[in-house]
Structure formats: structure tokens, C-alpha cells
Amino acid sequence: SATQAGPRQRTALAKPGPMLPPAQAIITSVHGKPGDPDELAVLWTFVVNGDPAQVGVSAGDEHIAGGLIALHKAFVLNVPAASMIHGFDVIDFSSSKPGDKYAKSGFTRGQATTVDAPTVNEAPIQLECRLLHTLRVPPMRTVHIAEVVATTVHEGICDADGRLRPDSAAFFGMAAGCGEFFTLGRKVGHIGQSVGRKDIRY
């Protein structure tokens, strides 16, 4: 084992990067400006808090969605399945370009149940978000912190108690450091296992 053989050698990379796999693969949907189509974007997304439910997205200055989130103060995080990867990548490479992203990606537009924002019907999980706080991060990003005011899921995604069933869909994330997509693998543990708890979800 590594312990018996001594510590493994560590190499410093020539260029530092946010190598924190896996990174969530999320499609953000938000209304466009009056007369413009609704916007879809792929933004860095993260959990801020479990209870109360809070999330964050980080939009570069080039992302059209960033200004629209600030304008409308509401958006939806659509969690895709692996069958949506092609459309996901189309959106990712169109996030700074105007146009109808629904038409480009082939996804269908829905409407959130609680906030005034569009959704992606194909996404197994949708988090409806209301903006709480905006933070400017130099040199070129803005972080938007939001409360999750409603969560909706496709049938079968959660059990009768509302607990996520990770094997119910081919959820995927990006391996930050190589840019490749991977679905969830086998279960290797759970939060609270060291103290005998199985009730923690977030």
C-alpha cells in the first residue's frame, strides 16, 4: 500500500487550475430581455447551503445569462441526464452568443411552477431559484447566490420520502481537470457514516 511504501511523490503542474472533479453539469434557464428569446447557459454551479436550500452560479462577463439573472432575479437550474450531453455541449459553446438556445439544442421549453423563469422539460431535476445576493469576482466573473424555492423531479427520480435515487437516471458531471463527462459510478459511502447516521441528504 501507499502507507507501507511511504508517501507518493507529488508533482506541481505547470499551470494551476480548479481541478475539483466532479463538477456539476447544469443547464441554467432564465428569461431573455423583452422581445428576445429565453436564455440557456452552462455556468459553474455549486451548493451554498442545504437547509435553507441555497445555490450559486458563476457567470463570466461573456455569458448572456449573467445579466439576465441580475435583471429578472429568478432562474432555474436544470439537472440533465447523459442522453442530453450533445445539447448540453451545444449550449455550453453558445452561452456567449445570442439566439434561440432551445432550437439550437433541441430541448423543449417549460415554465417553472413558482418563479417566473423558463425550464428545460427534458431535465430530470429542476431547481427554481430566487436571487439573494450578487458578488463581483475580478477580473471577469459575477457570482449569483440564490435560494431554492421549489424543486421538481420526473417520476421515479426520488423515493416516496423525497430522497434522491442516484441510480434513477444517468446523471453526469464534468471531471474538472480534463473536461470529460462521466456518469455517477458505484456507491462508496454516505454522509454521516462515521457517526452512524443515514438521514443527511445535503
Side-chain angles (χ1 to χ4, degrees), residues 24-132:
Q24 288 91 337
I26 307 294
I27 300 170
T28 300
S29 54
V30 61
H31 278 315
K33 292 181 179 178
D36 290 344
D38 291 332
E39 179 67 14
L40 299 177
V42 173
L43 309 175
W44 291 115
T45 307
F46 52 94
V47 175
V48 174
N49 197 22
D51 185 15
Q54 297 171 334
V55 294
V57 295
S58 173
D61 292 346
E62 75 279 9
H63 289 118
I64 298 170
L68 295 173
I69 290 171
L71 173 66
H72 297 297
K73 298 181 173 26
F75 59 95
V76 175
L77 300 183
N78 303 271
V79 182
S83 60
M84 302 170 64
I85 284 178
H86 179 76
F88 176 90
D89 199 53
V90 168
I91 292 168
D92 193 10
F93 277 82
S94 303
S95 294
S96 62
K97 302 171 185 175
D100 187 343
K101 309 295 171 55
Y102 284 97
K104 288 183 178 180
S105 64
F107 297 142
T108 53
R109 183 190 182 283
Q111 177 61 40
T113 63
T114 303
V115 302
D116 186 14
T119 65
V120 175
N121 280 335
E122 291 80 358
I125 302 172
Q126 295 173 351
L127 309 184
E128 301 183 16
C129 304
R130 186 172 291 129
L131 187 64
L132 287 174

Side-chain angles (χ1 to χ4, degrees), residues 166-187:
D167 59 350
S168 62
F171 298 111
F172 70 96
M174 183 187 72
C178 67
E180 297 172 348
F181 299 130
F182 286 86
T183 55
L184 296 177
R186 63 187 177 87
K187 178 181 174 181

Side-chain angles (χ1 to χ4, degrees), residues 2 5-12:
R8 296 178 63 178
Q9 186 172 353
R10 187 171 296 277
T11 301

Side-chain angles (χ1 to χ4, degrees), residues 190 192-199:
H190 65 267
Q193 64 182 35
S194 63
V195 293
R197 291 184 60 182
K198 294 184 178 180
D199 59 306

Side-chain angles (χ1 to χ4, degrees), residues 131-196:
L131 187 64
L132 287 174
H133 183 68
T134 297
L135 174 68
R136 182 65 182 170
V137 182
M140 50 186 278
R141 288 206 159 253
T142 300
V143 173
H144 302 280
I145 305 299
E147 60 176 332
V148 180
V149 297
T151 302
T152 64
V153 299
H154 282 168
E155 184 177 1
I157 294 298
C158 291
D159 64 19
D161 295 322
R163 190 180 184 92
L164 175 67
R165 296 174 53 235
D167 59 350
S168 62
F171 298 111
F172 70 96
M174 183 187 72
C178 67
E180 297 172 348
F181 299 130
F182 286 86
T183 55
L184 296 177
R186 63 187 177 87
K187 178 181 174 181
V188 294
H190 65 267
I191 299 173
Q193 64 182 35
S194 63
V195 293

